[in-house]
Amino acid sequence: MTLKIAIDPDAGTAPYEQLRTQISERARSGELPVGFRLPTVRGFAEELGLAANTVAKAYRALEADGVIETRGRNGTFIAAAGDAAERHAAAAAQEYAQQARRLGLSPAEALSLAEDAVRAAYASR
């Protein structure tokens, strides 16, 4: 299996974020199966025409999100990330709900603001 990633230099999104998003979406869809070995940072950077620091930044973000795991010298692999991603999102949602309640927002107001934020985040793709 080859990892086909397209980085658009003219996009309004930073290259590391484009890389992070594409790997994350493919991992969550199952297109990149759990255990799939990702290229090395240097090798991938060379292949994509990016700086090694750009790929390393994307890998760090993916690891923080639980999408990939680094096994030292053995490499970087797609992790069983579905549960981790959902836990992170649920924790963020819980934090938001508590903050909205402390601010005195009604449940309907809080939901409306959250829906607006989600629409805006997904529209920028």
Side-chain angles (χ1 to χ4, degrees):
M1 169 186 281
T2 59
L3 185 59
K4 294 179 183 170
I5 299 290
I7 302 299
D8 181 359
D10 297 324
T13 307
Y16 90 90
E17 182 61 24
Q18 291 180 52
L19 178 59
R20 187 205 62 76
T21 299
Q22 289 180 55
I23 291 174
S24 182
E25 287 174 351
R26 291 178 183 177
R28 283 181 180 50
S29 74
E31 184 180 337
L32 292 177
V34 172
F36 177 81
R37 185 177 184 166
L38 293 170
T40 64
V41 168
R42 285 188 186 146
F44 210 14
E46 189 174 304
E47 178 183 327
L48 295 172
L50 298 172
N53 285 343
T54 300
V55 175
K57 185 175 182 178
Y59 276 19
R60 283 192 302 273
L62 287 162
E63 192 160 25
D65 291 344
V67 176
I68 65 173
E69 59 186 7
T70 302
R71 300 178 191 161
R73 292 183 170 265
N74 292 323
T76 303
F77 300 85
I78 299 296
D83 292 341
E86 288 178 19
R87 281 194 307 274
H88 285 291
Q94 181 66 34
E95 185 176 323
Y96 169 74
Q98 291 171 352
Q99 180 73 17
R101 185 173 182 205
R102 281 193 299 272
L103 292 170
L105 298 176
S106 72
E109 291 169 324
L111 282 172
S112 177
L113 290 170
E115 288 171 347
D116 290 347
V118 169
R119 272 193 292 277
Y122 282 84
S124 66
R125 289 185 163 189

